[in-house]
Amino acid sequence: MSTPDHASADDETFEEKRHDQLTAAPDATEADAAPRIEVSEHDGNTRIDIAPDAPVRPGPGPGVETDDEES
């Protein structure tokens, strides 16, 4: 019996599990596992920002018309 090349799922960190899950699809690339948020803490407050280089961002994409007119 041989030893597996990587640690068992119980020994993996959150980041390792996240990377494995995001790169498991047949056409997945390393870029798919890139961080998309930045978390920081200031004066006891946690701030979560979308990474400036994130390929996917929340909200409508560029060129999408929205009904943001306020009455």
Side-chain angles (χ1 to χ4, degrees):
M1 179 180 237
S2 64
T3 305
D5 291 336
H6 71 284
S8 70
D10 294 336
D11 295 337
E12 290 182 8
T13 66
F14 171 80
E15 289 300 321
E16 291 170 330
K17 289 178 184 178
R18 178 184 179 277
H19 180 272
D20 288 349
Q21 184 177 25
L22 293 173
T23 56
D27 294 329
T29 66
E30 285 296 315
D32 295 332
R36 294 177 176 89
I37 63 170
E38 296 174 352
V39 179
S40 59
E41 190 168 324
H42 304 282
D43 300 323
N45 297 315
T46 303
R47 180 179 172 112
I48 301 173
D49 293 307
I50 304 301
D53 59 346
V56 179
R57 303 180 62 79
V64 175
E65 294 182 23
T66 60
D67 295 330
D68 286 341
E69 294 180 28
E70 294 185 27
S71 306

